[in-house]
Amino acid sequence: GHGLRACWSVPILSSAQDVLGTFAIYSSEPSRPDRQDLDLIEGFASLATSIRRSACAVGVDGNSPFAVAAVTT
């Protein structure tokens, strides 16, 4: 296996609330996320949503594979 023992993730949503991807943190040890972990994943998911919205503002279709790849890779 890959040695993963814990994962915490949040969805990256479109303006229509469709799931475009997720942002996740993985751990090799069983554990629960602390406040810093939660703030980090929420912050990155928010950043990804902002990137997607900015792409839409300059004419990139927010549901295109390009825009989705930009926020999920």
Side-chain angles (χ1 to χ4, degrees):
H2 297 285
L4 300 176
R5 305 289 305 269
C7 173
W8 315 290
S9 65
V10 293
I12 299 167
L13 303 173
S14 72
S15 57
Q17 300 301 298
D18 296 321
V19 176
L20 299 175
T22 62
F23 181 82
I25 294 177
Y26 297 90
S27 175
S28 60
E29 299 296 324
S31 60
R32 294 180 184 263
D34 60 22
R35 182 76 254 159
Q36 183 178 356
D37 295 324
L38 295 173
D39 289 345
L40 183 66
I41 60 175
E42 289 170 7
F44 274 109
S46 178
L47 176 62
T49 299
S50 296
I51 291 169
R52 188 196 60 77
R53 287 185 183 142
S54 294
C56 290
V58 297
V60 176
D61 176 8
N63 295 314
S64 73
F66 170 78
V68 173
V71 298
T72 60
T73 59

